[in-house]
Amino acid sequence: MDSDCLSSRSSSPEFDRESPQFLSGAMFQAHSVGQRLTTRGRVKAGETELTQENLQELRLKVNSRERQRMHDLNQAMDGLREVMPYSHGPSVRKLSKISTLILARNYIVMLSNSLEEMKRLVNDVYGSRRAPGRASSLPTRVQQLPPVMGTVPTSDYATYLSLSSSDICQPSAAAQHFLGLPCPCHICQYLPQPPPRTAAAVSLSRPRK
DNA sequence: TAGGCCATCTGGTCCT
DNA sequence: AGGACCAGATGGCCTA
């Protein structure tokens, strides 16, 4: 993933959890503070008497778990960044966590709106073609449309909906559509335009370091 | 240099 | 009881 390469710091740096080597700088300071707080000999925790060594060992264990938990969280965040638009350009720095979440939320809303719009349009197309007296409800398979436009080839939508290929644009036409050129097909004419790449990218990301 | 972002430690709370 | 989760504190790195 290129966003990892863009970052000056890895979200999940390599480290040896069992080694005290990773206790440097702030970490060592914080660790020392912890030591100072527990230098009064034996400490009682519940029914178990903990020596200073045991307490320190426990503290390291807990810290390690928490570190691992945060690394897992960061990995999930990286996974989210990977599927987000606007985050792969060479001039775009790795999205911050808050930006990633905000952008993801907006992206989901946009996709949901697109899906609803497409369902409505398909309903219109299907409804105008149905035979008189035929039930007007959409076939189940239409209601089970893939949630994200673009996750299946455009031609598959026609098969999916039992439409003729003339009802839905071909990949080349779709490409034209997304290049900003008009596409004459029923579907593309009413699909919402993809958002401009600049707005979110500029407002939600910083230039690469 | 201030501010943003981040990793880490830590203690408290909740859950199994 | 032990682990997961959370939020506050702290200090480092980077950019404007």
Side-chain angles (χ1 to χ4, degrees):
Chain A
M1 185 181 75
D2 57 356
S3 58
D4 272 340
C5 302
L6 298 178
S7 174
S8 59
R9 282 177 296 192
S10 168
S11 296
S12 301
E14 294 296 326
F15 62 92
D16 180 0
R17 265 175 251 141
E18 304 308 321
S19 163
Q21 283 184 331
F22 72 89
L23 291 174
S24 59
M27 298 166 67
F28 180 77
Q29 278 192 345
H31 180 62
S32 301
V33 170
Q35 272 195 318
R36 261 185 274 130
L37 292 175
T38 58
T39 49
R40 299 186 180 182
R42 302 167 98 77
V43 181
K44 257 201 168 179
E47 293 300 311
T48 315
E49 266 204 357
L50 294 176
T51 65
Q52 185 185 331
E53 283 182 2
N54 289 342
L55 202 61
Q56 186 175 335
E57 191 178 337
L58 180 66
R59 196 63 256 176
L60 288 176
K61 199 174 156 189
V62 171
N63 290 350
S64 176
R65 270 202 308 271
E66 175 65 6
R67 222 178 298 129
Q68 184 60 46
R69 194 182 70 84
M70 294 310 296
H71 290 165
D72 292 344
L73 185 65
N74 287 332
Q75 268 194 316
M77 195 66 74
D78 286 341
L80 186 56
R81 285 189 188 100
E82 279 183 19
V83 298
M84 294 303 300
Y86 319 119
S87 62
H88 304 293
S91 61
V92 177
R93 188 183 181 267
K94 182 178 179 179
L95 288 172
S96 70
K97 293 177 180 178
I98 183 67
S99 298
T100 301
L101 292 176
I102 291 172
L103 190 55
R105 189 261 181 195
N106 291 341
Y107 191 41
I108 290 170
V109 168
M110 186 199 75
L111 291 176
S112 299
N113 290 340
S114 298
L115 179 62
E116 286 310 307
E117 178 75 1
M118 184 174 176
K119 280 183 180 176
R120 190 180 63 77
L121 292 168
V122 166
N123 198 3
D124 290 347
V125 170
Y126 185 82
S128 67
R129 292 168 57 90
R130 74 173 191 272
R134 192 173 163 185
S136 61
S137 63
L138 280 172
T140 307
R141 58 187 167 191
V142 173
Q143 296 169 17
Q144 293 171 344
L145 262 175
V148 178
M149 182 67 170
T151 55
V152 299
T154 309
S155 56
D156 286 358
Y157 274 101
T159 309
Y160 213 85
L161 305 176
S162 295
L163 298 175
S164 70
S165 59
S166 61
D167 286 326
I168 193 164
C169 68
Q170 299 304 301
S172 59
Q176 282 187 342
H177 173 86
F178 284 106
L179 283 174
L181 299 172
C183 172
C185 84
H186 300 307
I187 303 299
C188 282
Q189 279 183 14
Y190 298 100
L191 276 179
Q193 294 288 331
R197 290 186 67 86
T198 50
V202 168
S203 63
L204 290 173
S205 62
R206 296 175 297 178
R208 198 204 299 198
K209 287 181 183 179

